[in-house]
Amino acid sequence: MTAVELETLRNAALTLSEQERATLARDLVASLDGPADDSVAEAWDREICRRIQRIESGEAKLLDPKDVLSRARARIGG
């Protein structure tokens, strides 16, 4: 694609509605990631199930969100 063609395409995209531009942007960014890897999704599914099981069994120690935010702010100096 030439620079002129790219500029024409960019100008055409800018005439789209906000929703259409958002959809186009999402699709363009997604195209940079390459094809989805099913094994990654499966691994995340297993990890989520493992974490839920640990919470439900009482094995996992849950933290109070206010304490977590307070500690995080203290660490970054905020």
Side-chain angles (χ1 to χ4, degrees), residues 6 16 40 48 55-56 77:
L6 182 58
L16 299 172
V40 172
I48 291 166
I55 291 168
E56 289 177 344

Side-chain angles (χ1 to χ4, degrees), residues 9-46:
L9 181 59
R10 182 181 297 117
N11 289 337
L14 291 173
T15 65
L16 299 172
S17 71
E18 183 176 336
Q19 180 62 43
E20 291 167 327
R21 290 192 319 274
T23 300
L24 177 59
R26 185 192 68 235
D27 292 346
L28 289 172
V29 170
S31 75
L32 298 174
D33 290 338
D37 186 345
D38 290 337
S39 64
V40 172
E42 290 170 9
W44 271 113
D45 286 344
R46 286 190 304 275

